[in-house]
Amino acid sequence: AVNPSVPAKTFPEFIQYLKNNPGKIRYGTSGIGSVFHLIGEVLQESAGVSMIHVPYKGIVPAVQDVVKGQTEMCFTSANGAGPLAKAGKLRVLAVLEKKRYGAMPGIPAANETVPGFVRPSGRFGYFGPAGLPMPIANRLQQEIHKALDAPDVRSRLETVGLAIIGNTPEEFSEMYRVGFEQIGKIVKKAGLKPQ
């Protein structure tokens, strides 16, 4: 999402603007090494652009500064950006998932413009103790998925911009393994250090 003063009206225009103005756009995040920071690093690398990272102590002050025009851009949830966009205080240019978000069908997925863009993993999940027998893990997954799939729960989660995946324990483990590898590469390439 960007401040409405940013001249780009669409995500393709924004990428071109970044290419024409390297290092001009400041993007706020919830801190160094946060998923929003990593998203910025991935976008810069995959689109061949340069932006200035501005870390905050949480995403709310980062979004507030974009609204005030102190910074030009931020990565945030659909829930966080949607009402501000409707009020004309932010302009949502793209969603970061692999496909368009149902609640904002007119907003393209970032990978439609930047084919190499793959959002770093930032998922929620349930974990059990090491050595949990697979029959118990599978039963827990089925019951948790059933609870999350209840119409009132699903509706509430979708309202705040969360999608239910409900994958198997094996798929979940693989998703996290791939995510840790991807994040490790991003952190190394960006030269990020613990603070």
Side-chain angles (χ1 to χ4, degrees):
V2 296
N3 181 282
S5 68
V6 172
K9 305 291 185 219
T10 66
F11 194 59
E13 288 177 7
F14 183 67
I15 295 299
Q16 191 59 53
Y17 182 79
L18 291 172
K19 288 181 179 185
N20 295 342
N21 299 278
K24 183 174 181 178
I25 292 291
R26 296 163 295 172
Y27 72 101
T29 72
S30 51
I32 295 172
S34 68
V35 71
F36 296 122
H37 179 200
L38 299 177
I39 289 167
E41 294 294 334
V42 170
L43 180 62
Q44 289 181 92
E45 181 182 344
S46 55
V49 297
S50 175
M51 300 182 292
I52 299 169
H53 176 233
V54 181
Y56 289 82
K57 292 183 178 182
I59 197 60
V60 172
V63 173
Q64 289 171 338
D65 269 7
V66 175
V67 169
K68 290 187 250 178
Q70 300 289 11
T71 54
E72 293 80 22
M73 175 194 173
C74 65
F75 299 101
T76 188
S77 68
N79 182 49
L84 293 168
K86 285 180 184 172
K89 296 179 179 183
L90 286 180
R91 183 180 312 121
V92 177
L93 297 179
V95 295
L96 303 171
E97 297 298 331
K98 291 179 183 176
K99 58 183 183 175
R100 293 180 184 222
Y101 177 51
M104 298 178 169
I107 306 296
N111 62 14
E112 293 176 33
T113 300
V114 183
F117 177 83
V118 177
R119 178 191 185 278
S121 180
R123 312 280 186 224
F124 297 100
Y126 292 92
F127 293 84
L132 184 68
M134 281 311 292
I136 294 173
N138 287 325
R139 175 70 190 273
L140 285 169
Q141 183 275 334
Q142 291 167 2
E143 295 301 323
I144 291 167
H145 186 68
K146 190 187 317 178
L148 292 173
D149 210 27
D152 57 331
V153 175
R154 177 177 286 279
S155 173
R156 180 65 184 136
L157 291 173
E158 289 173 350
T159 297
V160 297
L162 296 175
I164 298 169
I165 297 172
N167 50 16
T168 67
E170 295 84 5
E171 292 166 335
F172 183 71
S173 294
E174 180 64 9
M175 180 184 73
Y176 266 84
R177 186 192 65 72
V178 169
F180 285 137
E181 285 180 9
Q182 180 193 26
I183 289 170
K185 288 176 185 174
I186 296 166
V187 167
K188 186 174 182 179
K189 186 164 185 116
L192 303 180
K193 304 286 182 210
Q195 301 215 350

